[in-house]
Amino acid sequence: MSAPLRIGNASGFYGDRLGAVREMLADGPLDVLTGDYLAELTMLILGRDRLADPGRGYAATFLRQMEDSLALAAERGVRIVSNAGGLNPAGLAAALRRLAERRGLPVRVAYVTGDELLHRAEALGFPGAVTANAYLGGWGIAEALRRGAEVVVTGRVTDASLVAGPAAAHFGWARDDFDALAGATAAGHVLECGTQATGGNYAFFTELLAAGHDLTSPGFPLAEVDADGSAVITKHPGTGGAVTVGTVTAQLLYEITGPRYAGPDVTARFDTVRLEAAGPDRVRLSGARGEPPPPAVKVGVNRLAGFRNEVTFVLTGLDIEAKAALVRAQAEAALGAARPRRLEWRLARTDRASARTEQEHSALLRVVAADPDAERVGRAFSSALVELALASYPGCHLTAPPGRGSPYGVFSAAHVDRAEVRQEVVLPGGERLAVPADGPVLALAEVPDEAAPAPPGEPGPVRPAPLGAVLGARSGDKGGDATLGVWARDDPGWAWLDRTLTADRLRELLPETAGLPVRRYRLPKLRALSFVLEGLLGEGVAATSRFDPQAKGVAEWLRAQTVDVPVELLEPG
């Protein structure tokens, strides 16, 4: 048995904790340190950066982190693998080489490219794209590491590939070692969002605090990956946070769209994954089964859709609904023919009766304007609303001065045949190696919900309680859809969850989803359900006017809903 490969993570998004790279290198042993910097919105941000300056387009914070920690990584023999290259991995690799030369560090830097499809966007059916990037797999990373690279930066690869690629290189996996690849992919999915695996954003965080865990600065996670693809998820000793079956379950369910987790290298069956405690802050992830990847590769496309602006009115005291109706009618009349193409009003009843402060007795009326013409959402829009200040409801004022408006984008996912994507590795000496997209493929099959819920057991006493008293949940975004994972912590809870939370019941509990298609999937080995709320976010995070544009709080909204819960679940034993 070969020793496990210790792969850590130091970034879950562009803007994550700047000191995490040094912390992960200094706080304990590692073989590989990864960093995930890319998301759908991030690609749009980098695309706009590149429009302003063709030399930009990568995550600048990663370069700052390397200025601080590249010498330490070289000293400790830790290889660095990151997708911080964004839209310009060649530019980031060149900057890293210059940094290494200035510091006198003989560090071998390689980069992976081929995800960029913008130059062929029209031909591939993506007109008007600002960014168009295929989601590459881990074989380019693996080839770079096999050829001796000590730092590998990539463009758009799947998040889990940052772990699967190094594991494949280290253990010598073949392209059809699907079970091993699936296990590493599952481990990579746990690591990709950093401290979300160690107690961050965790539904039962109060229990961690009660147990004495320090959540002020959770440590970043690492995976001890074995030759068969199984892994132990853990963190460096003495760091904050906690690694439990619950925290790992929460992250496994994050932003997935069903049991089949499809990537360019493997389709990992998350309904086969098992989790079990393996000691303090140690959770074993095993049993993952893999299938060949689908014949098409996902492409993330961002387009500039127009310009937007927003204003929030504060409504205090009595007659909230009437005040909202008045200012809305006034604004619509004032805008007249200059009305933006899209004008959305949302009233948030944040007020409460007999409040002790003015703020607690106030509601917020938010209006979002969007239009292809910047003038329609700029000063003309702002001035029309400001002019109402002395002519509208009593107490009229805004949360902030209106702005000029700003451009916004729309994200969409497309697919192209694997043959259209030409992945390459550029080695430290400049040699370019093609990474063939060979190997078996398999059309992605839908795993339907077992529509008939589990038969009800003998009815027992129930008590009104929030769902969150017994169930955990985590939510996020996938383009214009929201994803929602819900799990139980024991078998009786799972049986109740499975038969109770149908798609129809979810729509009742979350009225915003009432008119939307809702897909429901079962993951019994995780005691979990996965839901996809289609269209909840409209055209995606950059375009939606929803209060929670990335659906981060949908899970907690669900957990706050009161239902009749079996007393035996609330009072075990």
Side-chain angles (χ1 to χ4, degrees):
M1 292 292 290
S2 59
L5 180 70
R6 294 174 62 88
I7 305 177
N9 170 279
S11 176
F13 68 101
Y14 191 12
D16 209 343
R17 196 158 80 219
L18 197 62
V21 169
R22 174 162 287 276
E23 292 170 18
M24 288 298 289
L25 291 170
D27 288 349
L30 288 175
D31 299 306
V32 179
L33 181 61
T34 68
D36 178 18
Y37 293 78
L38 303 183
E40 294 168 358
L41 180 60
T42 311
M43 298 300 282
L44 176 61
I45 294 169
L46 294 177
R48 290 172 58 183
D49 287 348
R50 188 173 62 177
L51 287 173
D53 179 354
R56 296 166 64 184
Y58 57 77
T61 53
F62 174 77
L63 187 58
R64 290 173 56 195
Q65 289 170 314
M66 289 298 97
E67 289 172 351
D68 175 64
S69 300
L70 186 58
L72 181 58
E75 175 189 327
R76 300 208 165 192
V78 178
R79 295 186 175 189
I80 305 292
V81 179
S82 175
N83 60 15
L87 301 177
N88 189 7
L92 178 56
L96 289 168
R97 291 181 184 127
R98 291 193 296 269
L99 168 63
E101 290 172 4
R102 289 198 307 270
R103 300 291 176 84
L105 300 172
V107 176
R108 295 169 56 82
V109 180
Y111 67 93
V112 178
T113 187
D115 60 301
E116 177 75 79
L117 301 179
L118 188 62
H119 59 292
R120 293 191 285 146
E122 292 280 347
L124 292 171
F126 317 137
V130 175
T131 71
N133 296 79
Y135 286 68
L136 304 181
W139 293 112
I141 296 170
E143 189 63 29
L145 293 172
R146 287 175 183 144
R147 298 293 184 116
E150 294 158 311
V151 178
V152 183
V153 293
T154 76
R156 198 25 156 160
V157 300
T158 65
D159 302 338
S161 297
L162 300 174
V163 170
H170 181 77
F171 294 113
W173 294 337
R175 286 180 178 261
D176 59 356
D177 283 328
F178 294 124
D179 290 348
L181 289 166
T185 294
H189 182 66
V190 173
L191 262 58
E192 70 178 74
C193 284
T195 53
Q196 279 196 170
T198 60
N201 296 354
Y202 181 53
F204 300 108
F205 76 98
T206 56
E207 295 181 6
L208 297 183
L209 291 171
H213 295 287
D214 180 8
L215 298 184
T216 54
S217 184
F220 276 71
L222 62 94
E224 298 172 353
V225 183
D226 288 318
D228 63 354
S230 62
V232 170
I233 308 299
T234 184
K235 62 185 184 69
H236 285 322
T239 57
V243 178
T244 69
V245 170
T247 66
V248 176
T249 297
Q251 181 53 31
L252 266 180
L253 295 174
Y254 181 61
E255 292 186 342
I256 65 172
T257 56
R260 277 186 165 92
Y261 190 77
D265 300 324
V266 66
T267 296
R269 291 292 300 262
F270 276 22
D271 54 350
T272 64
V273 173
R274 292 186 179 277
L275 301 176
E276 58 184 339
D281 289 319
R282 295 177 65 81
V283 173
R284 174 159 288 281
L285 185 157
S286 63
R289 301 296 303 272
E291 298 170 345
V297 176
K298 180 180 174 181
V299 180
V301 180
N302 279 292
R303 297 177 176 88
L304 289 179
F307 301 84
R308 61 181 287 167
N309 202 348
E310 64 179 75
V311 171
T312 301
F313 292 92
V314 181
L315 317 174
T316 304
L318 305 175
D319 306 318
I320 295 295
E321 300 286 344
K323 288 172 178 173
L326 173 60
V327 74
R328 176 172 179 173
Q330 290 176 316
E332 297 272 3
L335 291 168
R339 186 186 193 278
R341 178 175 297 180
R342 193 176 92 214
L343 203 62
E344 298 182 7
W345 297 83
R346 296 178 185 269
L347 176 61
R349 294 301 302 265
T350 52
D351 56 308
R352 61 180 184 177
S354 302
R356 296 180 63 85
T357 67
E358 179 182 341
Q359 182 175 348
E360 292 173 344
H361 219 316
S362 298
L364 300 176
L365 177 64
R366 181 168 169 253
V367 56
V368 177
D371 198 280
D373 184 353
E375 293 297 324
R376 284 182 173 265
V377 298
R379 289 298 184 191
F381 169 75
S382 297
S383 296
L385 271 60
V386 168
E387 288 170 2
L388 301 174
L390 304 183
S392 192
Y393 61 88
C396 177
H397 66 283
L398 310 177
T399 56
R404 292 185 175 183
S406 59
Y408 76 96
V410 171
F411 174 88
S412 62
H415 292 83
V416 299
D417 187 88
R418 296 168 68 87
E420 297 287 350
V421 180
R422 305 178 185 95
Q423 185 177 179
E424 282 190 330
V425 177
V426 182
L427 297 175
E431 180 185 0
R432 304 182 78 95
L433 298 177
V435 181
D438 54 10
V441 296
L442 180 67
L444 189 63
E446 179 79 356
V447 180
D449 171 37
E450 295 179 13
E458 289 295 321
V462 296
R463 191 170 75 210
L467 271 173
V470 293
L471 300 178
R474 179 168 284 171
S475 56
D477 65 298
K478 278 291 181 189
D481 300 337
T483 63
L484 172 63
V486 187
W487 79 93
R489 297 192 286 180
D490 54 32
D491 290 337
W494 160 239
W496 177 74
L497 167 63
D498 189 27
R499 67 174 178 262
T500 301
L501 196 57
T502 63
D504 287 341
R505 182 62 172 138
L506 183 74
R507 292 189 190 93
E508 294 173 1
L509 293 170
L510 304 181
E512 277 188 66
T513 68
L516 301 177
V518 174
R519 304 200 308 268
R520 176 188 188 267
Y521 302 97
R522 303 174 72 250
L523 296 96
K525 291 185 178 180
L526 297 176
R527 303 192 189 102
L529 299 175
S530 175
F531 295 90
V532 179
L533 316 179
E534 296 184 21
L536 183 66
L537 305 180
E539 294 180 291
V541 56
T544 184
S545 61
R546 193 174 180 276
F547 168 71
D548 175 16
Q550 291 182 285
K552 300 293 189 183
V554 168
E556 289 303 293
W557 180 29
L558 175 67
R559 294 182 70 241
Q561 302 305 308
T562 298
V563 300
D564 287 334
V565 179
V567 172
E568 66 174 349
L569 300 183
L570 295 168
E571 301 173 2

